[in-house]
Amino acid sequence: MTTQTDRINALLDREEIRALRLHYSALLDGGKADRMGEVFTTDAEVKVTVGSMSGLEEIKASLKEAYHSFDTLKRGHYPFVHAVANHDVTLTGPDTATGSCYLLDFVTDRSATQHPFLLLGRYCPSSNALRQTGALISGGFSPSDLSI
């Protein structure tokens, strides 16, 4: 039998996972690759459209490089905004959960005459997200068929 306390704890756990995804986006968009340890474990794996990264140090280095590579106008900022929505979180055990969320990726350095969407997609972790440690074991990005 599920108690009211269990239900409240489940809501809090789901919210912590949603907050973790939002924090990842804020760190990414803010060019704070050195702080990715706040959202990924040391053995994390990240798979994105342009490749994959294994381990926290590689994730930090790759994202730091991407931050500079994509700043083609040399404005000193990452020219994207990652908006995440439609979070789906299923608690699978006392310390594990699965889920996904949608990604709307906006480009911030295009001229006003260009469309601001870079792509639409979905973040789909390939492994469980740990609730206890507050960090993701792994994360991935699966682009949708629609890319603008």
Side-chain angles (χ1 to χ4, degrees), residues 64-139:
K64 186 175 183 177
E65 171 61 30
Y67 180 81
H68 295 291
S69 296
F70 287 115
D71 183 15
T72 57
L73 299 178
K74 305 301 178 207
R75 293 182 176 170
H77 68 84
Y78 197 58
F80 305 110
V81 173
H82 295 76
V84 291
N86 294 26
H87 296 265
D88 176 35
V89 178
T90 302
L91 304 178
T92 58
D95 296 321
T96 58
T98 60
S100 64
C101 63
Y102 292 116
L103 167 68
L104 295 94
D105 205 354
F106 296 91
V107 180
T108 61
D109 67 353
R110 288 184 177 169
S111 71
T113 60
Q114 291 182 293
H115 202 287
F117 278 120
L118 176 64
L119 56 85
L120 305 173
R122 190 171 184 184
Y123 282 118
C124 301
S126 57
S127 293
N128 288 331
L130 286 181
R131 293 186 287 143
Q132 235 178 13
T133 62
L136 295 176
I137 290 177
S138 67

Side-chain angles (χ1 to χ4, degrees), residues 26-88:
L27 292 176
L28 186 61
D29 294 342
K32 298 175 181 169
D34 58 319
R35 292 179 48 195
M36 286 296 158
E38 295 173 20
V39 295
F40 291 111
T41 58
T42 56
D43 59 346
E45 292 181 353
V46 174
K47 295 177 184 168
V48 293
T49 55
V50 295
S52 62
M53 298 160 264
S54 184
L56 181 57
E57 294 310 312
E58 184 177 352
I59 292 168
K60 288 179 181 181
S62 295
L63 293 178
K64 186 175 183 177
E65 171 61 30
Y67 180 81
H68 295 291
S69 296
F70 287 115
D71 183 15
T72 57
L73 299 178
K74 305 301 178 207
R75 293 182 176 170
H77 68 84
Y78 197 58
F80 305 110
V81 173
H82 295 76
V84 291
N86 294 26
H87 296 265
D88 176 35

Side-chain angles (χ1 to χ4, degrees), residues 5 18 25 33 66 121:
T5 301
R18 278 190 282 272
S25 294

